[in-house]
Amino acid sequence: MKLQRKNRLRAVALGAIAVSGALALTACGSDNNGGGSGNGGDSTKAAGNIKCEGKGQLLASGSSAQKNAMDLWVKNFTAACKDIQVNYKATGSGAGIQEFLQGKTAFAGSDSALKPEEVEKSKSVVKGGQGINLPMVGGPIAIGYNVPGVDNLVLDADTLAKIFDGKIEKWNDEAIAKLNKDAKLPDLKIQAFHRSDESGTTDNFTKYLKAAADKSWSYAPAKAWPNKSGQSADGSAGVSSQVNQTKGAISYFELSYATANNIHTVKLNTGAAAPVEASSDNASKAIAEAQVVGTGQDLALKLNYTTKAEGAYPITLVTYEIVGDKGNKAETLPAVKSFLTYIASEDGQSVLKGLGYAPLPAEIAQKVRANVAALS
């Protein structure tokens, strides 16, 4: 199964096809230079359950946690919609938001909702509207590790906090041994890796540490790694690669990176009856407890990082597609809505579980679809 998933991920093609007269679809705004002939009104067509509207190149960037999902979505969508090329760059959530706020992209992917000051700044790009958060991808943040001879590892929030703060330095430390009485833990140095780029995955992981291990984790949650402990690498691909090739390594990344690279993942002692593994189903149980805290068309969610529900994996993230609610460019809007409509659909969401992600809860997914339809 893991090999099948890995092959599926590699099979994605992000077509950089040179199309004569292709229209670069950038972010929101009132600039209509180049006229409205590229709105795709006459090229609307249905391919399977994907409705194709618009044409040209759709530019987007951001979250690397959703890259594997985005790759498959792009493959399926562009196979159906030949007149649209979708170019999504997994630059990290922070960089994705920055590019969106600079008007360089049609939408951004972020594992954290826009901050109030970012919403305010978006109003200068989205003329007459603002940036909103549309949850699209759910899933567990896996804690991957590379410890020879240890195939089953249990940790809790307090121990994780101390590991990533440099306070626990060896794999046979007493705190780890107490949680793994049957494991043969080696006298091996812990190599903790964190993201070097600003990342929503880091933001969510540090939110978990702060909420669940407040006494051992003194840092405020943030997209940028907050201390000088450990080593760094760029993106989820970078940190997972370091774990894969470094004995004693541990890091955090979206589950599909662990699945694709056959990396062992930590089970969490949450206070439930049994340790909880990182899986799509277990992440869904935690995400189901999320509350919508956004207003209007904004669907920002508040996750419960301290859940003790049986089988609920608390280190989860929700990736948002950030787009303008209104005031979008007329020539870009059809393609943006067409693509977002597909990925929010039942067909789009149904492919996520096979990649290690968690589809959106039905109630939230329905709200997302309604809000995509209302984009103007």
Side-chain angles (χ1 to χ4, degrees), residues 194-231:
H194 57 263
R195 293 278 291 270
S196 59
D197 55 319
E198 288 198 4
S199 161
T201 310
T202 296
D203 192 28
N204 282 277
F205 181 50
T206 54
K207 283 178 179 175
Y208 163 76
L209 293 177
K210 186 63 177 175
D214 183 54
K215 293 182 179 179
S216 297
W217 189 258
S218 60
Y219 311 97
K223 291 187 179 73
W225 187 252
N227 63 31
K228 296 181 180 180
S229 179
Q231 305 172 63

Side-chain angles (χ1 to χ4, degrees), residues 14 59-64 67 70 86-92 96 99 109:
L14 293 176
L59 304 178
S61 64
S63 165
S64 63
K67 180 183 183 298
M70 190 61 71
V86 182
N87 185 352
Y88 180 84
K89 295 182 179 179
T91 55
E99 289 193 332

Side-chain angles (χ1 to χ4, degrees), residues 103-135:
K104 295 180 178 179
T105 53
F107 66 90
S110 177
D111 307 322
S112 296
L114 289 171
K115 296 178 181 178
E117 59 268 26
E118 292 171 335
V119 173
E120 190 61 33
K121 188 174 181 180
S122 73
K123 294 177 182 179
S124 65
V125 180
V126 185
K127 305 300 182 181
Q130 66 180 46
I132 58 171
N133 305 284
L134 298 178

Side-chain angles (χ1 to χ4, degrees), residues 2-294:
K2 291 182 178 179
L3 290 175
Q4 290 175 345
R5 291 176 182 170
K6 186 173 183 180
N7 291 336
R8 187 188 306 165
L9 299 179
R10 289 178 174 174
V12 174
L14 293 176
I17 304 172
V19 178
S20 175
L23 179 65
L25 303 181
T26 54
C28 316
S30 59
D31 181 8
N32 287 318
N33 292 341
S37 61
N39 62 9
D42 295 332
S43 63
T44 299
K45 56 188 177 181
N49 291 323
I50 299 176
K51 187 176 182 181
C52 304
E53 295 184 345
K55 60 182 179 181
Q57 187 179 39
L58 181 60
L59 304 178
S61 64
S63 165
S64 63
Q66 72 168 354
K67 180 183 183 298
N68 294 328
M70 190 61 71
D71 284 352
L72 186 56
W73 280 335
V74 168
K75 177 177 179 287
N76 293 343
F77 180 79
T78 55
C81 302
K82 304 295 186 181
D83 293 333
I84 304 173
Q85 298 84 50
V86 182
N87 185 352
Y88 180 84
K89 295 182 179 179
T91 55
S93 298
I97 289 175
Q98 183 178 23
E99 289 193 332
F100 176 78
L101 295 179
Q102 292 172 344
K104 295 180 178 179
T105 53
F107 66 90
S110 177
D111 307 322
S112 296
L114 289 171
K115 296 178 181 178
E117 59 268 26
E118 292 171 335
V119 173
E120 190 61 33
K121 188 174 181 180
S122 73
K123 294 177 182 179
S124 65
V125 180
V126 185
K127 305 300 182 181
Q130 66 180 46
I132 58 171
N133 305 284
L134 298 178
M136 203 68 72
V137 184
I141 300 173
I143 308 299
Y145 68 95
N146 181 350
V147 182
V150 180
D151 298 336
N152 186 18
L153 183 68
V154 176
L155 297 175
D156 57 18
D158 188 69
T159 305
L160 277 171
K162 291 176 180 177
I163 287 173
F164 281 93
D165 200 20
K167 296 174 182 176
I168 293 179
E169 300 179 341
K170 291 290 188 73
W171 279 110
N172 61 351
D173 186 274
E174 182 180 356
I176 300 176
K178 284 183 178 179
L179 294 166
N180 299 274
K181 295 181 179 179
D182 296 329
K184 295 181 180 179
L185 299 169
D187 183 14
L188 178 66
K189 182 179 179 180
I190 294 175
Q191 307 278 357
F193 285 89
H194 57 263
R195 293 278 291 270
S196 59
D197 55 319
E198 288 198 4
S199 161
T201 310
T202 296
D203 192 28
N204 282 277
F205 181 50
T206 54
K207 283 178 179 175
Y208 163 76
L209 293 177
K210 186 63 177 175
D214 183 54
K215 293 182 179 179
S216 297
W217 189 258
S218 60
Y219 311 97
K223 291 187 179 73
W225 187 252
N227 63 31
K228 296 181 180 180
S229 179
Q231 305 172 63
S232 65
D234 186 64
S236 293
V239 291
S240 60
S241 177
Q242 289 296 327
V243 171
N244 202 30
Q245 65 190 20
T246 307
K247 290 184 179 180
I250 185 171
S251 190
Y252 56 93
F253 37 81
E254 183 270 325
L255 180 61
S256 67
Y257 288 88
T259 302
N261 293 287
N262 297 316
I263 296 173
H264 293 302
T265 60
V266 168
K267 293 180 180 178
L268 291 178
N269 182 339
T270 64
V276 185
E277 68 177 335
S279 72
S280 297
D281 288 340
N282 291 344
S284 292
K285 292 175 183 177
I287 294 172
E289 297 184 23
Q291 297 179 332
V292 176
V293 293

